[in-house]
């Protein structure tokens, strides 16, 4: 039976180890019933009699009847029985790794296969698990569980990601099911944290009890629920089909099931995703006006709550088309900022989100994964055509975008009032890596005071629901573990980010997390050398490859690995993450960074306008001029010696002081000022 939306259903009772299934090459528009069919043979993914439902495959519509070219991953998805086979068999084999198809499919379950690239010879395979925590919310029980799992099955550390989740590294294949099931049974999930579907939905991590922040968090959770896979593959593989689904708001269920405008696959186990899911990963963030803690413009969809003068939510502005990933030396790949799509009333947000996802699902490229993100579809079509197509799925016209105030980056570090009588404490965690004494102390505090936590998009941690009486003892014990109040942390570190890169990421070209501590120290040394104050800072982000996991293309200074011990340098982002950086130099060896940093920071110090950020300065000066300054750099210009400085009566006095200063490895001015201070102090003391 074929519906007007191009879905054919049928039932088969498998009795043969190989069976022929019908597969379809495209979901056609709602006014067409034309389907392209072929037959494909593949091994049966299970051996018990089971009803199998063949569901149409959502692909970009084609004008010809020939099957369009598809990437290998698309074939894996189609033949997987909704992301089950062959992973459900591979996890039980004796090998330490899994096969190619399973390596792609396990991403949908929230895991990547990795190996230690520091080791030579036989590869030491392990798995990274990533949780899914909408808005960064982590219940007390889940935090303690992840802390235990890191010690028992991981490498002894937890990592906070730039999308408000945990990453657990070093899990062996034989332990995967134990670790996954433990997470699931302790209020957690890794479903959809990776793979070609909606990833973790970002929202401001601050647990403010205001209408604005609570509504943004609630919206993020509803969007995450709307786009969660429904076919049960995750629970079938890891907990033998036992379901751990929480109750969903009725508006989420209603929006998911609604097919008024052809967004769904009728009778499919995956009404939104179908057999093929999305062409590529999909990222969504929700926030309130001014709060750009979520890097709103870097997401496929950016959602901003719009309020009336009484603080009541009225609707949402929607941005579309952001994304960071690119490929070196392929200018047809690029980072991109989201752009305004329009405004929707608050009751329509789930339908609008679903319409955008359906547009990308049906029209995004599935032949070449380098170009499969929604940003390339929008760049190809233009925003007007994209809006028109989305409106067909949405069933309405988008209203004009509402004017928004200026964006600000907010870290929420330090102590703050939640608004309900309790406090929260934002803790800076270098590169999001929790280990050693810090990990032990955090565990003790979170367990002792029964605290819930939140992960920020800047790889930091927020302790929530703290009573005022607990503030002093918590502050003391955290400081002893190196978790200091932000005023005691180098300002450069507070906004810096890096991806994990070596040794476990298979895509890394050079160091990021392990390299950034030294890079930040060297930047600080250059600041001091050229006369910049300690309180001054710039946004620095480092990635080991061009995929951009730490969002380096929004940084004022972005370092992107482009060879062994080599970086591409990007300049021009802004402190509030609203402007895209551009490539400034290629193939800069890590030992040569000062040759670039020194002239840039020296001239920023001397030629900037009042309160001009480093990113704005580099944009105003222009890269041609900056290249000229770097190429001609011979070191900071020394100020000429002035003999009429007040500490010296004449040239002879200065020269005598200079000889004495040399003996103490000081400058004449330093020595003279010490003498004067000592004299004044002696007089004041009688």
């Amino acid at each position: 039976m074929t519906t007007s939306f191009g879905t054919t259903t049928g039932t088969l009772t498998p009795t043969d180890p190989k069976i022929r299934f019908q597969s379809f090459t495209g979901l056609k528009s709602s006014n067409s019933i034309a389907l392209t069919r072929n037959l494909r043979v593949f091994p049966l993914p299970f051996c018990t009699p089971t009803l199998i439902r063949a569901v149409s495959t959502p692909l970009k519509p084609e004008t010809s009847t020939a099957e369009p070219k598809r990437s290998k991953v698309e074939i894996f998805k189609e033949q997987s029985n909704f992301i089950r086979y062959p992973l459900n068999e591979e996890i039980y084999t004796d090998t330490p790794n899994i096969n190619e198809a399973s390596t792609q499919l396990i991403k949908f379950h929230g895991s990547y296969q990795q190996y230690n690239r520091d080791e030579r010879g036989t590869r030491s395979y392990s798995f990274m698990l990533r949780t899914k925590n909408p808005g960064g919310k982590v219940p007390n029980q889940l935090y303690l569980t992840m802390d235990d799992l890191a010690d028992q099955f991981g490498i002894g550390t937890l990592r906070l990601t730039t999308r408000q989740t945990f990453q657990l590294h070093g899990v062996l294949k034989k332990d995967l099911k134990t670790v996954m099931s433990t997470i699931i049974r302790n209020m957690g999930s890794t479903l959809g944290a990776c793979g070609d579907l909606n990833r973790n939905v970002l929202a401001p991590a601050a647990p403010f009890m205001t209408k604005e922040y609570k509504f943004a968090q609630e919206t993020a959770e509803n969007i995450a629920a709307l786009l969660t896979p429904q076919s049960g593959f995750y629970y079938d593989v890891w907990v033998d089909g036992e379901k751990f689904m929480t109750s969903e708001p009725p508006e989420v269920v209603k929006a998911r099931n609604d097919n008024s405008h052809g967004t769904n696959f009728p009778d499919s186990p995956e009404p939104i995703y179908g057999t093929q899911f999305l062409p590529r990963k999909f990222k969504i963030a929700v926030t309130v006006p001014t709060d750009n803690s979520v890097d709103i413009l870097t997401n496929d969809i950016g959602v901003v709550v719009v309020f009336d003068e009484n603080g009541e939510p009225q609707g949402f502005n929607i941005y579309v088309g952001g994304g960071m990933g690119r490929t070196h030396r392929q200018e047809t790949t690029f980072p991109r900022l989201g752009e305004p799509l329009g405004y929707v009333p608050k009751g329509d947000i789930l339908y609008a989100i679903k319409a955008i996802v359906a547009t990308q699902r049906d029209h995004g490229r599935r032949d070449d994964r380098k170009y499969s993100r929604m940003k390339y579809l929008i760049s190809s079509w233009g925003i007007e055509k994209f809006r028109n197509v989305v409106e067909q799925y949405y069933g309405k016209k988008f209203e004009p975008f509402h004017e928004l105030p200026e964006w600000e980056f907010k870290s929420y570090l330090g102590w703050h009032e939640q608004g309900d009588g309790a406090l929260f404490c934002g803790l800076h965690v270098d590169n999001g890596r929790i280990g050693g004494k810090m990990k032990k102390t955090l565990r003790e505090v979170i367990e002792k005071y029964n605290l819930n936590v939140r992960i920020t998009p800047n790889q930091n941690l927020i302790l929530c629901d703290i009573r005022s009486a607990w503030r002093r003892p918590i502050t003391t014990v955290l400081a002893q573990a190196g978790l200091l109040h932000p005023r005691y942390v180098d300002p450069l570190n507070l906004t810096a980010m890096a991806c994990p890169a070596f040794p476990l990421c298979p895509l890394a070209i050079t160091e990021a997390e392990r390299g950034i501590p030294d890079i930040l120290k060297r930047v600080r040394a250059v600041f001091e050398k050229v006369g910049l104050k300690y309180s001054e800072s710039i946004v620095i982000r480092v990635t080991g490859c061009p995929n951009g996991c730490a969002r380096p293309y929004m940084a004022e200074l972005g370092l992107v690995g482009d060879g062994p011990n080599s970086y591409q340098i990007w300049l021009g982002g802004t402190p509030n993450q609203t402007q895209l950086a551009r490539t400034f130099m290629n193939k800069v060896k890590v030992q040569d960074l000062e040759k670039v940093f020194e002239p840039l920071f020296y001239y920023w110090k001397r030629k900037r306008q009042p309160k001009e950020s480093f990113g704005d300065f580099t944009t105003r000066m222009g890269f041609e001029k900056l290249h000229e300054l770097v190429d001609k750099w011979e070191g900071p210009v020394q100020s000429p010696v002035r003999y009429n400085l007040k500490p010296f009566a004449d040239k002879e006095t200065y020269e005598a002081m200079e000889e004495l200063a040399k003996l103490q490895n000081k400058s004449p001015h330093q020595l003279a000022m010490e003498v004067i201070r000592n004299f004044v102090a002696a007089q004041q003391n009688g």
Side-chain angles (χ1 to χ4, degrees):
M1 179 179 67
T2 304
T3 74
S4 61
F5 299 107
T7 299
T8 300
T9 60
T11 60
L12 297 169
T13 303
T15 57
D16 193 78
K18 287 198 173 183
I19 203 161
R20 290 180 181 270
F21 293 143
Q22 286 183 304
S23 74
F24 306 97
T25 60
L27 176 71
K28 302 299 179 180
S29 61
S30 58
N31 58 3
S32 169
I33 61 172
L35 289 173
T36 304
R37 307 186 181 192
N38 59 24
L39 291 176
R40 189 175 302 278
V41 179
F42 56 93
L44 187 69
F46 31 62
C47 30
T48 55
T50 308
L51 292 181
I52 303 170
R53 196 174 297 278
V55 184
S56 66
T57 300
L59 291 170
K60 186 176 179 179
E62 297 289 330
T63 56
S64 70
T65 57
E67 181 178 358
K69 178 185 174 184
R70 294 187 294 165
S71 70
K72 187 184 292 186
V73 176
E74 292 298 314
I75 307 301
F76 291 152
K77 288 187 285 187
E78 180 183 52
Q79 298 181 356
S80 70
N81 184 27
F82 293 97
I83 320 299
R84 291 174 175 85
Y85 176 81
L87 178 64
N88 55 354
E89 296 180 357
E90 280 287 303
I91 60 172
Y92 293 108
T93 64
D94 293 333
T95 60
N97 60 316
I98 54 180
N99 65 19
E100 184 182 7
S102 297
T103 299
Q104 294 298 328
L105 298 179
I106 200 171
K107 295 176 185 178
F108 292 76
H109 296 254
S111 179
Y112 281 85
Q113 179 171 266
Q114 301 179 330
Y115 62 92
N116 191 333
R117 296 175 64 185
D118 282 347
E119 296 179 357
R120 296 294 177 260
T122 304
R123 289 183 175 180
S124 299
Y125 285 100
S126 65
F127 292 80
M128 178 271 281
L129 274 61
R130 183 184 295 154
T131 59
K132 203 168 184 183
N133 310 88
K137 289 185 176 181
V138 182
N140 176 271
Q141 180 180 338
L142 178 60
Y143 184 93
L144 299 178
T145 297
M146 296 301 297
D147 183 83
D148 287 337
L149 292 173
D151 290 337
Q152 295 173 22
F153 300 102
I155 59 173
T157 66
L158 282 172
R159 194 153 196 295
L160 313 177
T161 77
T162 58
R163 291 202 71 78
Q164 298 184 277
T165 64
F166 286 117
Q167 282 187 181
L168 182 62
H169 291 268
V171 179
L172 300 180
K173 190 177 92 170
K174 66 182 180 64
D175 298 322
L176 268 176
K177 192 163 185 177
T178 298
V179 175
M180 285 284 202
S181 61
T182 302
I183 292 172
I184 293 168
R185 296 177 193 282
N186 285 276
M187 306 177 69
S189 175
T190 65
L191 172 59
C194 324
D196 299 342
L197 69 176
N198 179 52
R199 302 289 184 89
N200 196 52
V201 180
L202 302 187
F208 290 133
M209 294 294 118
T210 62
K211 291 179 183 177
E212 295 89 343
Y213 278 84
K214 291 174 70 174
F215 189 68
Q217 284 279 346
E218 178 186 319
T219 301
E221 291 166 0
N222 286 347
I223 292 172
L226 172 74
L227 299 176
T228 295
Q230 299 296 299
S231 56
F233 63 82
Y234 180 65
Y235 301 100
D236 286 349
V237 172
W238 305 113
V239 288
D240 301 320
E242 186 178 355
K243 295 294 176 71
F244 286 80
M245 304 295 287
T246 56
S247 60
E248 295 180 317
E251 62 266 29
V252 172
V253 177
K254 181 181 177 182
R256 183 190 297 120
N257 293 334
D258 180 80
N259 197 28
S260 303
H261 306 286
T263 54
N264 287 21
F265 294 103
D267 301 319
S268 170
E270 291 292 352
I272 296 176
Y273 290 127
T275 60
Q276 301 306 104
F277 288 76
L278 298 180
R280 204 68 163 75
K281 61 181 139 181
F282 201 88
K283 298 181 177 181
I284 301 175
V286 181
T287 193
V288 300
T290 76
D291 188 335
N292 198 21
S293 59
V294 299
D295 261 357
I296 189 76
L297 300 178
T298 66
N299 292 271
D300 292 86
I301 303 176
V303 178
V304 187
V305 188
V306 175
F307 303 91
D308 64 16
E309 60 275 8
N310 298 317
E312 293 294 334
Q314 299 299 304
F316 301 88
N317 277 344
I318 300 177
Y319 294 96
V320 290
M324 293 286 95
R326 49 178 285 276
T327 303
H328 281 316
R329 288 169 289 285
Q330 293 196 24
E331 298 306 314
T332 51
T333 66
F334 44 81
R336 189 181 191 276
L337 296 187
E339 57 184 306
L341 180 69
Y343 169 89
V344 298
K346 66 179 181 180
D348 286 356
I349 186 60
L350 297 180
Y351 299 89
I353 293 291
K354 191 171 143 187
I356 297 168
V357 169
T359 301
Q360 162 65 356
R361 178 197 69 197
D362 296 344
H363 298 278
R365 287 181 60 171
R366 293 180 182 265
D367 59 331
D368 190 333
R369 291 176 66 80
K370 290 194 301 295
Y371 304 104
S372 294
R373 290 290 299 275
M374 192 172 75
K375 64 181 177 180
Y376 295 114
L377 178 63
I378 296 175
S379 294
S380 171
W381 279 4
I383 191 65
E384 292 302 325
K385 178 179 178 180
F386 182 82
R387 183 183 294 113
N388 288 337
V389 174
V390 172
E391 286 173 344
Q392 293 175 36
Y393 288 104
Y394 176 39
K396 298 180 182 180
K397 290 285 187 182
F398 287 100
E399 297 177 32
F401 205 74
H402 286 220
E403 186 176 349
L404 293 172
E406 187 75 15
W407 291 108
E408 301 173 24
F409 168 71
K410 300 187 179 184
S411 69
Y412 300 113
L413 296 176
W415 289 91
H416 304 266
E417 294 184 358
Q418 290 183 179
D420 59 355
L423 304 171
F424 72 85
C425 181
L427 302 172
H428 170 71
V429 181
D430 276 335
N431 306 311
R433 182 69 67 179
I434 298 176
K437 187 175 182 181
M438 177 197 299
K439 180 173 176 293
K440 182 175 182 291
T441 301
L442 279 172
R443 165 69 184 236
E444 291 171 353
V445 170
I446 291 167
E447 190 169 30
K448 177 179 179 179
Y449 296 99
N450 195 31
L451 303 180
N452 297 313
V453 306
R454 295 192 184 184
I455 302 169
T456 82
N458 231 51
Q459 301 174 297
N460 295 320
L461 197 70
I462 292 178
L463 306 182
C464 308
D465 311 314
I466 302 172
R467 297 180 188 174
S468 298
W470 301 343
R471 176 171 178 168
R472 184 179 293 276
I474 287 177
T475 299
T476 301
V477 71
L478 291 176
Q480 291 170 350
L483 290 159
L484 305 172
H485 189 281
R487 67 172 173 267
Y488 300 120
V489 180
D490 189 323
L492 289 171
N493 291 57
L494 291 177
T495 55
M497 290 201 295
C499 70
F502 286 124
L504 293 176
C505 178
L507 303 177
I509 302 171
T510 193
E511 298 285 2
E513 180 183 341
R514 296 194 304 194
I516 196 173
D518 182 61
I519 289 171
L520 293 175
K521 289 176 184 175
R522 291 163 63 187
V523 170
R524 174 57 64 196
V526 174
F527 267 36
E528 293 174 357
K529 184 175 181 179
V530 302
L532 287 163
K533 296 177 181 178
Y534 178 81
S535 60
E536 298 192 82
S537 183
I538 63 173
V539 177
I540 300 173
R541 295 176 177 177
V542 183
T543 59
C545 84
N547 281 351
C549 293
R551 303 190 287 271
Y553 309 117
M554 302 300 290
E556 294 181 274
L557 173 62
L559 302 180
V560 179
D562 65 352
N565 300 310
S566 171
Y567 295 99
Q568 199 176 57
I569 295 180
W570 288 64
L571 301 176
T574 52
N576 65 353
Q577 280 86 65
T578 56
Q579 184 169 289
L580 200 63
R582 294 184 294 126
T583 312
F584 178 64
M585 294 183 77
N586 295 302
K587 298 286 185 184
V588 179
K589 289 294 183 182
V590 66
Q591 64 268 22
D592 295 329
L593 291 173
E594 279 85 353
K595 296 178 182 177
V596 182
F597 293 167
E598 277 191 16
L600 293 178
F601 297 151
Y602 177 83
Y603 286 105
W604 175 46
K605 168 75 166 62
R606 283 153 181 78
K607 294 182 178 293
R608 61 184 168 182
Q609 295 175 350
K611 297 184 178 179
E612 186 175 36
S613 69
F614 178 70
D616 286 336
F617 165 77
T618 58
T619 299
R620 179 175 61 82
M621 291 291 288
F623 282 10
E624 184 177 348
K625 178 63 176 177
L626 293 178
H627 275 292
E628 180 184 329
L629 296 176
V630 171
D631 292 342
K632 294 181 178 179
W633 181 248
E634 295 181 354
V637 177
Q638 298 297 324
S639 300
V641 175
R642 292 179 292 170
Y643 297 119
N644 61 343
L645 292 175
K646 290 184 180 179
F648 307 109
D650 49 42
K651 182 178 179 180
E652 287 74 23
T653 304
Y654 174 84
E655 291 175 344
M657 187 67 76
E658 186 176 34
E659 291 299 320
L660 290 171
K662 285 179 181 178
L663 297 175
Q664 299 183 40
N665 196 28
K666 298 174 182 176
S667 71
H669 192 274
Q670 284 177 314
L671 184 57
M673 293 308 296
E674 284 184 18
V675 171
I676 293 170
R677 287 195 194 99
N678 291 338
F679 175 78
V680 171
Q683 296 301 310
Q684 289 175 337
N685 292 332

